[in-house]
Amino acid sequence: MVELGENLTFVKWIRENEIIMIKKIILWSWMLATGSVAIAQQKSREAWVSPFDFPLLLSANFGELRPNHFHNGIDIKTQGVTGKPVHCVAEGYISRVAVQHGGYGQVVYVAHPDGHTSVYGHVERFSDGVQKRVREYQYANETFVCSLTFTPDEFPVRQGEIIAWSGNEGASAGPHLHLEMRDTETGTYIDPMPFYRRMLKDHKAPVASLVGIYPLENEGVVEGSSRRKLVAVSGLKQPVTAWGKIYTGISAKDYMDGTSNFYGVHSVKLFVDDREVFHSLTDSVRADENRMINAFTDYDELMRSRRLIMRSYRAPGNRLQLLQTDSCRGVVTIDEERDYRFRYELEDNFGNRSSYRFTVRGKRQEIPQQEHPGKTLLRWDRTNVIQQPGMQLVIPQGMLYENAWLDKKVSGDSARTSFDYVLDTGHTPLHGFCELSIGVRHRTVADSTKYYILQRWGKGHTPIGGKMENGWVKARVRTFGTFAVGVDTVPPRITPLNKGNWRGNFSRIRLKISDAESGIASYKVHIDGKFVLFGLKKGALVIQDPRRISRSGVHRMEVWVTDCCGNEQYEKFQF
C-alpha cells in the first residue's frame, strides 16, 4: 500500500517536471521562431560577427586583473571617438537595456538562441525604437537611472543590425565598447576572445616583471624571515633559500600587435620539479566569484603599491573555479636540503608562451613563530561577531578567504556623536557586505535621519550610509577600517558651469553638484516649469535633451539636489 506522504511526493514530482517541460517548450518555441533548433545548437564561434565595421583593436581583455573584480569582457577601441555604429554580433532579441550613473553607463543586452547573451557597455545611445522607450520611461518617472526588460517579440534583431552607437558613458576612461558574453541561464561571464580571435593579431608572449615567494605563518621561512620576498625577473638566477611551507606568485602582463596596451594573462601554470602544482585559466568567471580576485591576488601588496601579483595558491575560502591546484592548494613543502626547481609557464589566448625558471634552495633554518598579543583571531570557516562597547560587526561565514588577526581599538573624544572604532586586520579583503552597528552617544540633532556611518581615511572620510534604529546606526560595510557615526545637516552644493555659454548652445548646460558629508542621493531639473532630463556624469549634471528647450525667450531653470540624509538644496537660474 502506498502511503499518503508517498502519494504527495509523487504528485509534487509530476508537477515540478511539468513546469520544467513547459519552460523547455517555451524556450524551444522561441528558438524555432528565430531560426531552427539545429542551427542554434550548431552555431559555431566563427559565425559571430564583429560589432564594428573597422579592424578590431583591444584596450582590455577578459580576466584582466582589476581592484575587487576581474574584467568581465573585452574593451574594443573606437578610434578615439564616440558615435560609431554598434552592430549586433548574432541573431537574437534585445532583452534588457539599462542607464546608470557609473558602471556600464548605458548598456544593451541581447539574448541569442544558442544560450548566450551579448552585452554592449558604455554606449552613447540606443537604436531609435529602444531609445524612444527609454526616454518615455525616464520622463514618465522623472529619472535618469533606469533598467527596462523586453520580451522576444518587442525588439528582435538580426545579425549585423545596428543596436546602439559607441560612447564613453559611465565608469569609462575613454571612448570604447565594453563587450561581454554571458551564459543566459546562469549569468556566468564567458571569455569573448575565442569568438574574435580570427579578427585580431597577436604574436607577443606574456611578460613577467617579478616573482613573489611567501612563507606560511609559523610554518615556513624565506631567507631567514617570515615575510614575503619579491624578486625581480632579472634577479631570478640567484637561488632563494627557504624552509618549511611556502607558495609563490607572479606579476605579469600580456601584449598584442598594433597597440601599446597591456592585458591580463590567460593561463598561468606553476611546476615544481616538473610537477604541476597550480594552474589558472580565465575562460569564465561566475558573478558570485568575481570579488574572489582579492584572494587570488596579493591583496596586501595591491593596497601598498598598486602592484597586482597572482598568487599560485588557493586560500581555504577561495572558491574560484578558474583555479586548479594540487591537494596542497599550491603550497610547497621545502623539507630537504636541495634545490627545488620552479617553473612558470604563461600563455595567452593565441598560444604565445613564455617561461620563467628559478630555484628555491632548501636550507634548514629556524622558522620564526609569530605571536599576536591582544588581537582577535577571525576564522574564515565560521561566523565572526566583533563587539566593542557601542559597536558590533557581524561577519557571516564565507566573507573571509583565510584566517586573519584583528586589532580592535576605540578612540576619539567622548563628547562626539560616537567613538571612532578601529578594526585593523592589516590588509584583509572581505568577500561581501557585513552588518555594522554603532551606537549614538550624543544626539546633536533630534532628526534621526541625519545620522550615518562614515569610514575615516586620514583626515578625510567616505560615507557608508545607514539608518538609525533605537539609538544605533546600522549600515553594511565591505572593508575593514576606522568607522564612526557622522551627522549631516548641510545640504548639497549646486554650481553652474560656464553659465555665460548656455544661451548660445543649450547642450552646454552643466551644473556641478557635490556633498561634503553623506553624498548625493537624488536630483531633478525643471526648465520653464517642465521636467528636463539630466545625467550625472563625473560630478556634473549634463543635459540630455537640449532640443526640448524653446529657442526663444528667457528660460527659468529650477534645480533640486538631495543628499543621503534628506537635506535638499534648491537653486534657480535664468539664461
Side-chain angles (χ1 to χ4, degrees):
M1 180 179 293
V2 179
E3 297 293 331
L4 178 61
E6 294 180 16
N7 272 326
L8 291 174
T9 301
F10 181 73
V11 170
K12 181 180 179 182
W13 179 85
I14 290 291
R15 288 178 177 173
E16 288 176 348
N17 280 272
E18 284 177 347
I19 293 171
I20 294 171
M21 184 59 67
I22 290 170
K23 289 182 177 179
K24 287 184 176 179
I25 291 172
I26 293 172
L27 176 62
W28 281 70
S29 297
W30 176 73
M31 292 170 70
L32 286 167
T34 57
S36 77
V37 173
I39 293 175
Q41 288 179 331
Q42 296 172 12
K43 183 182 284 291
S44 67
R45 289 170 173 171
E46 287 70 25
W48 292 63
V49 300
S50 170
F52 294 114
D53 54 8
F54 51 82
L56 298 186
L57 284 176
L58 304 186
S59 57
N61 69 338
F62 181 85
E64 187 173 300
L65 306 178
R66 302 285 177 87
N68 300 319
H69 72 286
F70 294 92
H71 188 243
N72 297 133
I74 57 175
D75 285 350
I76 303 174
K77 295 186 176 187
T78 55
Q79 302 177 331
V81 298
T82 62
K84 295 288 187 179
V86 178
H87 302 270
C88 190
V89 300
E91 181 182 46
Y93 75 95
I94 296 176
S95 58
R96 179 188 173 205
V97 295
V99 179
Q100 308 163 339
H101 289 136
Y104 298 120
Q106 299 191 136
V107 58
V108 183
Y109 298 74
V110 178
H112 306 285
D114 67 353
H116 290 98
T117 291
S118 54
V119 182
Y120 312 76
H122 308 303
V123 299
E124 187 174 64
R125 62 187 176 93
F126 308 115
S127 57
D128 292 345
V130 175
Q131 186 75 18
K132 182 174 182 292
R133 288 281 294 275
V134 170
R135 283 290 185 263
E136 288 173 349
Y137 180 92
Q138 289 173 319
Y139 276 93
N141 294 273
E142 296 193 352
T143 178
F144 175 72
V145 175
C146 63
S147 176
L148 307 180
T149 57
F150 307 112
T151 58
D153 59 333
E154 289 185 273
F155 293 106
V157 289
R158 302 180 305 277
Q159 185 178 59
E161 183 177 338
I162 295 175
I163 56 173
W165 280 263
S166 68
N168 186 27
E169 302 297 304
S172 173
H176 73 282
L177 176 72
H178 176 81
L179 177 64
E180 290 179 5
M181 293 294 171
R182 299 186 187 181
D183 181 285
T184 302
E185 183 177 355
T186 66
T188 296
Y189 303 101
I190 300 169
D191 187 2
M193 192 73 84
F195 293 78
Y196 298 103
R197 188 184 291 119
R198 70 190 188 280
M199 304 177 194
L200 296 160
K201 293 182 179 180
D202 184 359
H203 298 91
K204 299 180 179 180
V207 178
S209 58
L210 63 84
V211 165
I213 304 172
Y214 301 78
L216 290 191
E217 183 178 0
N218 297 334
E219 296 185 77
V221 59
V222 175
E223 299 282 1
S225 171
S226 57
R227 297 177 61 84
R228 64 177 171 237
K229 182 177 180 62
L230 303 182
V231 183
V233 166
S234 60
L236 289 180
K237 292 181 180 180
Q238 183 70 29
V240 174
T241 63
W243 194 253
K245 294 183 178 180
I246 67 169
Y247 65 88
T248 63
I250 190 166
S251 180
K253 297 174 181 176
D254 191 28
Y255 299 86
M256 296 182 70
D257 297 359
T259 173
S260 60
N261 294 87
F262 58 82
Y263 311 92
V265 179
H266 180 62
S267 170
V268 176
K269 289 183 179 180
L270 174 64
F271 298 86
V272 178
D273 295 335
D274 294 325
R275 179 177 64 87
E276 183 179 310
V277 299
F278 174 87
H279 184 198
S280 65
L281 184 68
T282 50
D283 279 336
S284 64
V285 178
R286 283 178 16 190
D288 62 344
E289 296 177 336
N290 220 351
R291 197 171 167 88
M292 290 180 186
I293 190 173
N294 291 329
F296 175 36
T297 59
D298 181 345
Y299 187 77
D300 181 71
E301 183 64 22
L302 174 64
M303 294 295 102
R304 291 176 185 273
S305 69
R306 311 310 297 170
R307 286 193 293 199
L308 284 157
I309 301 175
M310 297 172 283
R311 300 196 298 174
S312 303
Y313 162 73
R314 182 191 288 276
N318 184 2
R319 303 184 304 278
L320 260 176
Q321 294 185 18
L322 61 86
L323 305 182
Q324 300 297 323
T325 70
D326 60 8
S327 59
C328 297
R329 305 197 320 274
V331 174
V332 180
T333 300
I334 308 297
D335 57 1
E336 299 178 43
E337 292 193 303
R338 65 175 178 86
D339 286 352
Y340 292 77
R341 294 172 294 120
F342 284 66
R343 182 177 85 255
Y344 271 110
E345 287 188 359
L346 312 180
E347 185 174 352
D348 65 17
N349 246 304
F350 295 79
N352 301 303
R353 295 180 182 178
S354 58
S355 180
Y356 295 87
R357 301 171 184 269
F358 58 99
T359 299
V360 174
R361 182 162 292 166
K363 179 181 179 182
R364 191 179 300 275
Q365 50 194 301
E366 182 180 352
I367 298 176
Q369 297 298 296
Q370 297 187 40
E371 297 181 356
H372 303 274
K375 294 186 178 181
T376 302
L377 177 63
L378 303 180
R379 296 288 300 269
W380 70 271
D381 57 350
R382 65 183 62 173
T383 294
N384 297 271
V385 180
I386 303 166
Q387 292 180 321
Q388 290 281 76
M391 184 280 297
Q392 177 175 280
L393 175 64
V394 179
I395 305 175
Q397 183 177 341
M399 294 298 105
L400 289 168
Y401 305 119
E402 48 197 328
N403 293 344
W405 289 98
L406 172 70
D407 189 8
K408 301 180 295 183
K409 295 179 182 177
V410 180
S411 63
D413 190 337
S414 61
R416 287 185 180 178
T417 304
S418 80
F419 286 124
D420 287 355
Y421 294 93
V422 181
L423 304 175
D424 183 10
T425 59
H427 294 125
T428 299
L430 287 168
H431 183 65
F433 287 102
C434 306
E435 186 173 281
L436 173 66
S437 303
I438 299 179
V440 175
R441 292 180 57 82
H442 300 286
R443 294 191 63 165
T444 55
V445 295
D447 188 348
S448 63
T449 65
K450 305 306 178 187
Y451 296 86
Y452 70 102
I453 289 179
L454 57 85
Q455 183 170 5
R456 298 198 188 280
W457 303 95
K459 295 182 179 180
H461 76 271
T462 300
I464 301 298
K467 292 183 178 180
M468 179 185 280
E469 296 178 11
N470 300 319
W472 292 76
V473 182
K474 298 182 178 181
R476 299 166 71 228
V477 298
R478 202 160 56 170
T479 61
F480 291 102
T482 301
F483 302 95
V485 172
V487 180
D488 185 2
T489 59
V490 180
R493 296 183 63 184
I494 303 171
T495 306
L497 299 176
N498 300 316
K499 185 172 176 291
N501 297 328
W502 292 2
R503 188 159 183 79
N505 186 346
F506 295 155
S507 63
R508 296 177 179 173
I509 298 176
R510 282 172 167 76
L511 305 109
K512 180 181 178 181
I513 61 174
S514 60
D515 187 80
E517 292 292 334
S518 59
I520 302 295
S522 63
Y523 62 89
K524 184 167 60 175
V525 180
H526 283 188
I527 297 179
D528 300 331
K530 295 181 180 180
F531 173 80
V532 176
L533 187 65
F534 276 70
L536 179 58
K537 303 180 180 183
K538 298 177 174 61
L541 295 182
V542 181
I543 192 168
Q544 302 298 293
D545 290 323
R547 289 177 294 180
R548 285 181 173 259
I549 305 174
S550 170
R551 301 301 303 177
S552 61
V554 176
H555 302 286
R556 183 170 180 262
M557 173 189 285
E558 298 174 279
V559 184
W560 295 264
V561 180
T562 306
D563 65 24
C564 293
C565 284
N567 303 298
E568 182 180 83
Q569 181 68 32
Y570 169 76
E571 298 282 356
K572 55 185 177 181
F573 309 94
Q574 284 190 345
F575 60 95

